[in-house]
Amino acid sequence: MSEFWKRKLRTFLHILDFDKDGYISEMDYANMGRDFADAYNATPEKRDDLVKDFVSLWKKYMKAGDMEKESLLTLPIFIESIRQQLYDPDLITCLVRVIRGMFDLMDVNQDGYLQPDEHRSFFENLGVSEETFDAKFAFEAIDANGDGKLSIDEFVAAFLDFLFSQDETSPNKYFFGQLVD
């Protein structure tokens, strides 16, 4: 695994680690789904579905090797899990379900696209500080066709490329903004 790829995974976990304690528990993941759904005033059904999908994803990350015995998702466990499941269709399906569920909530005007303000609010609702994240830069980097809006397909493809690709030239490396060290 390249150091570049590990930096992307560190960036991702840094964003998901809301309390900055260095790990993510199953409860943290459930709370992320709940808090995200609540931030967008989701219906109780959509909220429950998103929480269930977040918990399924957490369990999928923990599945690799004997990590399912663990109760905390740390960076080394996450890296090893993704490495072992790199092309696992079940992991990809689980990720896409979560991403699509989030996209559906983020698309406030329900036009099938994320506008720059909807994209920016995604990161605000993840607790990402505007001081450390340039939403405009990230949006423009992942807007594959340059039309000023993100389709569900662009958003999903950009996220999956961010998570799995080791291509240092891909603009999707900026999905979550600048990479952390």
Side-chain angles (χ1 to χ4, degrees):
M1 307 268 92
S2 70
E3 183 56 33
F4 166 72
W5 186 69
K6 289 177 184 177
R7 281 185 67 206
K8 290 195 311 179
L9 296 183
R10 276 194 300 274
T11 300
F12 184 45
L13 276 189
H14 178 75
I15 287 170
L16 297 179
D17 185 8
F18 288 105
D19 57 7
K20 304 302 179 214
D21 59 5
Y23 61 84
I24 300 169
S25 69
E26 182 175 351
M27 182 59 69
D28 290 334
Y29 246 67
N31 288 340
M32 276 187 273
R34 184 201 66 226
D35 292 350
F36 192 84
D38 289 349
Y40 286 98
N41 299 313
T43 65
E45 181 181 333
K46 281 188 177 186
R47 178 186 182 204
D48 292 347
D49 286 346
L50 192 61
V51 169
K52 183 178 80 181
D53 289 343
F54 263 83
V55 169
S56 293
L57 182 57
W58 185 85
K59 289 178 179 178
K60 196 71 180 136
Y61 286 146
M62 299 303 291
K63 175 187 167 222
D66 64 355
M67 290 174 250
E68 58 195 17
K69 297 175 190 163
E70 301 287 338
S71 61
L72 303 174
L73 183 60
T74 61
L75 182 62
I77 291 171
F78 185 57
I79 288 172
E80 181 60 17
S81 175
I82 295 297
R83 188 192 65 73
Q84 288 186 20
Q85 301 181 83
L86 200 54
Y87 300 106
D88 180 341
D90 291 338
L91 176 61
I92 293 169
T93 298
C94 197
L95 281 164
V96 169
R97 189 172 40 250
V98 168
I99 297 164
R100 286 183 175 277
M102 292 174 72
F103 184 96
D104 183 51
L105 293 174
M106 293 161 45
D107 182 15
V108 176
N109 65 6
Q110 295 295 298
D111 66 352
Y113 296 93
L114 293 184
Q115 308 302 322
D117 61 326
E118 293 169 323
H119 176 260
R120 185 181 58 255
S121 75
F122 164 63
F123 292 97
E124 290 169 358
N125 288 322
L126 285 176
V128 177
S129 166
E130 286 187 44
E131 296 166 2
T132 60
F133 177 73
D134 184 346
K136 183 177 186 288
F137 175 78
F139 184 89
E140 290 172 355
I142 66 174
D143 182 12
N145 62 9
D147 64 356
K149 56 189 177 184
L150 299 174
S151 70
I152 182 69
D153 293 334
E154 282 177 303
F155 193 72
V156 168
F159 179 81
L160 293 176
D161 185 71
F162 172 86
L163 192 59
F164 296 119
S165 172
Q166 294 193 50
D167 178 3
E168 294 186 34
T169 65
S170 171
N172 297 320
K173 68 184 175 188
Y174 299 117
F175 188 89
F176 290 107
Q178 296 294 332
L179 301 180
V180 299
D181 290 323

